[in-house]
Amino acid sequence: MRRPVVAGNWKMHGSRSVNQALLTELERSLKPEWPIDVVVCPPFVYLSDAVRLLEGVQIGVGAQDVCAEAGGAFTGQVSAAMLKDVGCQYVIVGHSERRRLYHEDDVLVARKFAAVLQRGLIPVLCVGETLEEHEAHQAEVVVARQIDAVIAMNGIASFARAILAYEPVWAIGTGRTATPQQAQGIHAYLRSRIAAQDDNIGGRLRILYGGSVKGGNAAELFAMPDVDGGLVGGASLSAEEFQQICAAAAQR
């Protein structure tokens, strides 16, 4: 049985006081006996605060992005070594907003994936199709291309230490959500593509759904056999909503 993961991507939201209140409430409401991995991904400037506030608590801390370079004259960038130094355990790479707004291509995402692994952190690799690609029935073609770029650079064995997240771009922040059956279809395809190269890794790989996951739809999504949890956006900014999602994952 693959251990479910619920990761909250706070994006560019929060403040020290708001974050402290949210994390305090999360710590109070999440049950330590739940068989899930819970992760919060605040903005860079609040990572140290989150690590400090969650010391001794079974909630992991992740970063929303990373520089592909190990160090040097890259003003404004943050390296994987820096993230590890402040206590991060996870790093999101290839999020659709990074691909769309900052024009990150598949090769750059693969390099970021490599940088994260090289520092012993866990990459959460995001893949997914736009509305135009979805309507053209190109979802499988797009996610295959995105995964193949990472495999070409890092090898299939790299996925033994990674988490995969399917985020249909057309369902992020739009209120639209893929049906459980649609999500399952792509998740099953992703797993089969990895399993074709290494059946053991494919079977153990945790694949999250990341498209407007909420407390009201989480249980139905997580009931699908290949949906191993969620990469949660706006709903992770509400302790009550996030707790409901985590509870649904714990019952998977």
Side-chain angles (χ1 to χ4, degrees):
M1 182 68 178
R2 296 177 299 271
R3 185 179 175 93
V5 181
V6 179
N9 176 13
W10 294 359
K11 305 192 180 186
M12 199 170 71
H13 297 290
S15 66
R16 277 187 154 175
S17 60
V18 168
N19 296 349
Q20 181 169 351
L22 176 57
L23 292 175
T24 299
E25 181 60 22
L26 282 178
E27 180 183 354
R28 185 197 65 78
S29 63
L30 298 181
K31 310 300 182 186
E33 67 271 18
W34 283 351
I36 61 175
D37 292 325
V38 179
V39 183
V40 293
C41 300
F44 285 138
V45 294
Y46 300 128
L47 286 171
S48 293
D49 286 346
V51 170
R52 175 178 53 81
L53 290 167
L54 294 172
E55 185 175 0
V57 179
Q58 295 301 308
I59 300 176
V61 177
Q64 299 175 16
D65 189 31
V66 67
C67 183
E69 308 297 336
F74 301 98
T75 300
Q77 296 296 302
V78 177
S79 72
M82 294 172 179
L83 296 176
K84 185 168 185 176
D85 191 39
V86 300
C88 274
Q89 301 157 286
Y90 302 81
V91 183
I92 299 172
V93 296
H95 191 280
S96 63
E97 290 162 358
R98 298 297 311 181
R99 295 179 189 262
R100 177 172 56 88
L101 298 176
Y102 300 98
H103 311 293
E104 295 187 0
D105 61 19
D106 296 338
V107 172
L108 178 56
V109 172
R111 292 182 61 223
K112 290 187 174 190
F113 185 96
V116 172
L117 285 178
Q118 286 167 5
R119 287 296 173 175
L121 301 170
I122 300 172
V124 180
L125 172 65
C126 298
V127 300
E129 80 280 14
T130 65
L131 178 61
E132 293 76 17
E133 291 163 339
H134 176 72
E135 292 180 339
H137 306 288
Q138 293 295 299
E140 291 185 358
V141 173
V142 172
V143 298
R145 185 200 75 222
Q146 293 167 338
I147 287 178
D148 288 351
V150 176
I151 294 174
M153 184 175 295
N154 300 282
I156 191 64
S158 64
F159 279 83
R161 297 178 288 153
I163 295 170
L164 190 57
Y166 169 57
E167 46 162 15
V169 182
W170 51 271
I172 298 174
T174 64
R176 299 176 64 179
T177 308
T179 67
Q181 292 72 28
Q182 286 176 314
Q184 168 60 24
I186 298 296
H187 281 230
Y189 174 75
L190 291 168
R191 192 176 307 285
S192 68
R193 194 165 186 89
I194 298 296
Q197 298 194 44
D198 190 303
D199 187 60
N200 183 54
I201 291 175
R204 296 171 61 87
L205 180 66
R206 295 183 290 182
I207 308 176
L208 314 183
Y209 175 75
S212 296
V213 180
K214 304 182 187 308
N217 62 24
E220 193 176 13
L221 285 163
F222 299 164
M224 297 293 103
D226 290 295
V227 179
D228 303 312
L231 178 60
V232 185
S236 67
L237 298 171
S238 162
E240 180 179 0
E241 190 90 7
F242 196 57
Q243 189 270 351
Q244 292 174 13
I245 296 169
C246 291
Q251 297 301 316
R252 184 180 183 275

